[in-house]
């Protein structure tokens, strides 16, 4: 006798269909698993038998064989405990229901309770696309799975409850997604009104948010670099539903949802400078997991104390920043994760932090300063569109009673600029000015004659590279959008050029 049911696996951020087949025959008691199972899948035989025994189900003495098809793809994790249990109960006659349009995902405890698993959202999406009508998931994954419309999601707590539902003894209503809240997530974020002074840095942050540009902040300790960076999500545009789904899929796979449903606020990831290249880019032994660059997808990746990161970890960022995706290759396995991110980096100008500070004496030698700055490579530095110096805040600014401009006002200007860009790129994959490709560059970065003359003089005087030239024009395009101008003018170019001067001040001296 052969029985079948449907389950799913994970490859990258997408799910794939797995058909779990089971057969029994007379012979000595045995339990075999085939279909390239990893160690966690092989261990399911002990979890399943113990769970059934502790729930009062006595299995017949027989040789059970389970196949996970397709057999040429490695199956990983404990997610197949539930479909294996269902097939075993069908072979033993405990379940007699027709399960041709049902799918099962879940890990079992030894007592028969279901435990939550990672990657439920992309698997449920694949189930819907595969024509599955009903899917049974652990109760802990209910909110996450219910996000997907067009499929009935049933959240079960244990195998006894599952049996009664499948046999029709208990009616269970499908889980429904909670009513989507229209309340803006910025209400719960730090606000720019709390930042005293730093008007130039705030302006640079507004431009970066409006165009999706990467930004580097340089200044002494305590000048407010981290404070500014943490408030950027409050002025970024609201996420679209497609962005929410894609971001939630990544966090579902990595196990960072913690029972929550749809992610509605743009991620803000701030890894410590001791993070490894694998932690930043993704990978790991065994199962390939997304790294910080992917967990920040459609959000902000903040790198505080940039030179303190290892050179290996920093160089991992170069390709993902450009391509908006990262491909991780292992023996017999390739995974590609998206990483469309805005990178904000902060650093001191020297090891002690006070090089160039008029009020503090720098204790670093020229050699120490040079060695410290050279930890950030030229190619990585060139990938930051905007460089901003953040000076110390004066006492009078700290004691000022007038309120600074709130994030809500800045966000209104950012939203208007992004709406212009959406109309501009509506028939392409480009989402913002920072992502303008070579084909679109000449069409959308049009400058007048005075601006061209200004840019030419700066190019010759400052020794811009071709990449720096592109970055300046993209930033100028964003500044023009904030001003509501179609043509890039001289003042827009001049402001963009000043955001490319710090690499000459610190790295070229």
């Amino acid at each position: 006798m052969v029985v079948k049911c449907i389950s799913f696996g994970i490859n990258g951020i997408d799910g794939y269909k797995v058909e779990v087949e089971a057969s029994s025959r007379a012979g000595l008691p045995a339990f075999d698993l085939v279909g390239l199972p990893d160690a966690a899948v092989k261990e399911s035989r002990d979890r399943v038998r113990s769970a059934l025994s502790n729930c009062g189900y006595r299995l017949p003495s027989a040789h059970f064989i389970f196949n996970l098809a397709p057999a040429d793809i490695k199956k990983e994790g404990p997610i197949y405990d539930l479909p294996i249990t269902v097939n075993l109960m069908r072979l033993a006659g405990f379940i007699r229901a027709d399960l041709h349009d049902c799918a099962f995902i879940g890990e079992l405890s030894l007592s028969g309770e279901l435990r939550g698993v990672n990657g439920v959202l992309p698997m449920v999406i694949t189930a819907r696309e595969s024509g599955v009508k009903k899917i049974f998931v652990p109760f802990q994954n209910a909110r996450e799975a219910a996000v997907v419309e067009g499929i009935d999601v049933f959240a079960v707590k244990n195998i006894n409850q599952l049996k009664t539902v499948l046999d029709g003894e208990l009616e269970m209503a499908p889980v429904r997604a909670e009513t989507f809240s229209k309340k803006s997530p910025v209400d719960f974020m730090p606000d720019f009104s709390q930042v005293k002074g730093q008007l130039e840095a705030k302006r640079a942050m507004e431009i970066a948010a409006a165009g999706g540009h990467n930004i580097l902040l340089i200044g002494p300790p305590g000048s407010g670099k981290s404070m500014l960076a943490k408030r950027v999500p409050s002025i970024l545009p609201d996420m679209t539903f497609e962005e929410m789904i894609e971001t939630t899929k990544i966090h579902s796979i990595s196990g960072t949802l913690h029972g929550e449903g749809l992610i509605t606020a743009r991620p803000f990831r701030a890894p410590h400078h001791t993070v490894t290249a694998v932690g930043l880019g993704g990978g790991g032994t065994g199962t390939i997991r997304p790294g910080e660059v992917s967990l920040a997808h459609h959000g902000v990746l903040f790198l505080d104390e940039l030179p303190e990161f290892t050179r290996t970890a920093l160089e991992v960022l170069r390709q993902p920043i450009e391509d908006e995706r990262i491909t991780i290759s292992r023996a017999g396995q390739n995974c590609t994760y998206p990483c469309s991110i805005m990178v904000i980096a902060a650093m001191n100008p020297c090891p002690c932090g006070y090089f160039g500070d008029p009020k503090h004496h720098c204790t670093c030698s020229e050699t120490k300063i040079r060695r410290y700055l050279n930890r950030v490579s030229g190619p990585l530095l060139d990938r930051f569109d905007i460089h901003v110096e953040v000076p110390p805040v004066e006492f009078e600014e700290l004691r000022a009673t007038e309120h600074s401009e709130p994030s809500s006002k800045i966000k209104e200007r950012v939203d208007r600029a992004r709406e212009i860009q959406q109309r501009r790129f509506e028939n392409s994959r480009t989402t913002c000015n920072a992502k303008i490709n070579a084909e679109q560059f000449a069409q959308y970065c049009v400058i007048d004659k005075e601006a061209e003359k200004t840019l030419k003089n700066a190019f010759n005087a400052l020794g811009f590279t071709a990449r720096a030239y592109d970055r300046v024009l993209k930033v100028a395009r964003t500044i023009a959008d904030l001003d509501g101008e179609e043509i890039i003018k001289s003042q827009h170019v001049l402001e963009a050029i000043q955001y490319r001067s710090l690499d000459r001040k610190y790295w070229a001296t």
Side-chain angles (χ1 to χ4, degrees), residues 197-415:
Q198 303 297 10
L199 297 180
E200 294 82 3
K202 289 180 184 179
R203 168 66 175 173
M205 289 294 192
E206 178 181 340
I207 296 170
H213 302 286
N214 302 324
I215 182 169
L216 174 64
L217 307 173
I218 305 177
S223 57
K225 302 185 295 294
S226 300
M227 190 176 189
L228 287 164
K230 291 175 182 177
R231 280 151 180 77
V232 168
S234 67
I235 63 173
L236 289 174
D238 296 334
M239 297 179 76
T240 64
F241 185 74
E242 290 75 18
E243 289 175 337
M244 293 177 190
I245 288 289
E246 198 169 44
T247 303
T248 306
K249 285 169 69 175
I250 297 173
H251 286 259
S252 173
I253 293 164
S254 64
T256 56
L257 280 183
H258 306 300
E260 296 299 318
L262 200 64
I263 292 177
T264 58
R266 294 192 181 273
F268 182 87
R269 304 291 297 186
H272 192 260
H273 59 75
T274 56
V275 67
T276 63
V278 171
L280 198 58
T285 57
T287 304
I288 297 178
R289 297 297 183 192
E292 292 290 338
V293 292
S294 296
L295 292 172
H297 185 49
H298 291 312
V300 175
L301 178 66
F302 177 46
L303 304 176
D304 201 6
E305 305 295 346
L306 184 65
E308 301 298 337
F309 287 78
T310 65
R311 188 67 171 257
T312 305
L314 288 179
E315 295 308 305
V316 166
L317 292 173
R318 287 167 56 177
Q319 179 261 338
I321 289 176
E322 291 289 325
D323 298 344
E324 298 183 43
R325 65 181 183 273
I326 183 167
T327 300
I328 305 162
S329 299
R330 296 289 182 269
Q333 187 180 11
N334 289 324
C335 284
T336 299
Y337 293 112
C339 52
S340 178
I341 56 176
M342 175 181 172
V343 182
I344 303 177
M347 60 178 288
N348 297 330
C350 67
C352 77
Y354 296 111
F355 176 62
D357 190 330
K359 294 187 177 181
H360 295 84
H361 175 65
C362 176
T363 60
C364 304
S365 65
E366 184 178 343
T367 302
K368 282 185 177 180
I369 296 173
R370 176 66 46 221
R371 188 181 299 120
Y372 181 79
L373 294 175
N374 284 342
R375 293 179 186 176
V376 183
S377 69
L380 179 62
L381 183 66
D382 226 15
R383 282 166 169 79
F384 289 96
D385 301 358
I386 299 174
H387 307 159
V388 181
E389 191 164 22
V390 185
V393 183
E394 299 294 335
F395 178 80
E396 290 75 13
E397 293 175 323
L398 289 174
R399 293 297 300 166
T401 56
E402 64 213 28
H403 294 289
S404 300
E405 189 177 30
S407 293
S408 58
K409 293 292 184 182
I410 303 174
K411 187 176 183 299
E412 288 177 4
R413 297 194 294 269
V414 170
D415 286 343

Side-chain angles (χ1 to χ4, degrees), residues 159-217:
I159 56 178
N160 281 329
Q161 185 187 36
L162 175 65
K163 177 186 179 302
T164 57
V165 172
L166 293 178
D167 285 344
E169 299 173 8
L170 173 67
E171 285 192 13
M172 177 181 286
V175 180
R176 301 299 178 193
E178 296 177 356
T179 303
F180 182 72
S181 175
K182 296 295 183 181
K183 194 171 185 179
S184 175
V186 299
D187 294 341
F188 308 99
M189 293 181 182
D191 198 277
F192 269 101
S193 61
Q194 301 154 356
V195 181
K196 300 289 186 179
Q198 303 297 10
L199 297 180
E200 294 82 3
K202 289 180 184 179
R203 168 66 175 173
M205 289 294 192
E206 178 181 340
I207 296 170
H213 302 286
N214 302 324
I215 182 169
L216 174 64
L217 307 173

